[in-house]
Every structure is written in structure tokens, then in C-alpha cells.
């Protein structure tokens, strides 16, 4: 159900910052790995803010629109 997906997404959002912090701590001594973690974190944040969140908001208003191919662009 849509409610189940929203709950799952919110749980995942809450888990991201601690996971990022843990990974960043693991690579703190390696500059190249720190840059990779930073780039990956930026991509994750962008996906959540620029795609997942708006798509969930659209789905709340119009599930059909959220399922359309246009919503994924």
C-alpha cells in the first residue's frame, strides 16, 4: 500500500544520516575514500530530495500521475 511505502521511505530516511556518519568515520584517514563517500552521500541526498520526495508527494495527490512515465523524468 502507499502508506506502507511512505512508512518504509521515512524509516530509510531516518537511517541514512547515521549510516553516512558511520561510513565517514571508517574512511576518515583516507582522503580518496572520504571524497568517494562525500560524492555518494551527495548523490543519495539528491535522489531523495529531487526524486523520491517529490514523487511520493505527487502520489499522495494523484497516484496515476506518480505511476506515469512523465513522473520519472
Amino acid at each position: 500500500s502507499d502508506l506502507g511505502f511512505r512508512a518504509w521511505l521515512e524509516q530509510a530516511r531516518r537511517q541514512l544520516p547515521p549510516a553516512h556518519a558511520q561510513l565517514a568515520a571508517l574512511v576518515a584517514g583516507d582522503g580518496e575514500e572520504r571524497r568517494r563517500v562525500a560524492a555518494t552521500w551527495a548523490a543519495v541526498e539528491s535522489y531523495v530530495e529531487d526524486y523520491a520526495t517529490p514523487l511520493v508527494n505527487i502520489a499522495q495527490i494523484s497516484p496515476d500521475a506518480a505511476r506515469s512515465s512523465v513522473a520519472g523524468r
Side-chain angles (χ1 to χ4, degrees):
S1 76
D2 287 341
L3 181 58
F5 177 76
R6 284 188 301 235
W8 174 85
L9 183 61
E10 285 306 314
Q11 180 182 10
R13 283 182 183 156
R14 286 190 302 274
Q15 292 173 345
L16 283 171
H20 171 249
Q22 184 179 17
L23 183 57
L26 288 172
V27 300
D30 185 327
E32 179 61 29
E33 291 300 318
R34 277 197 327 267
R35 285 187 286 282
R36 288 180 181 162
V37 168
T40 301
W41 179 244
V44 168
E45 285 185 311
S46 176
Y47 174 82
V48 169
E49 295 305 316
D50 299 338
Y51 179 76
T53 299
L55 188 59
V56 169
N57 291 339
I58 291 168
Q60 290 174 336
I61 297 165
S62 175
D64 289 336
R67 288 185 195 99
S68 75
S69 62
V70 175
R73 293 184 187 166

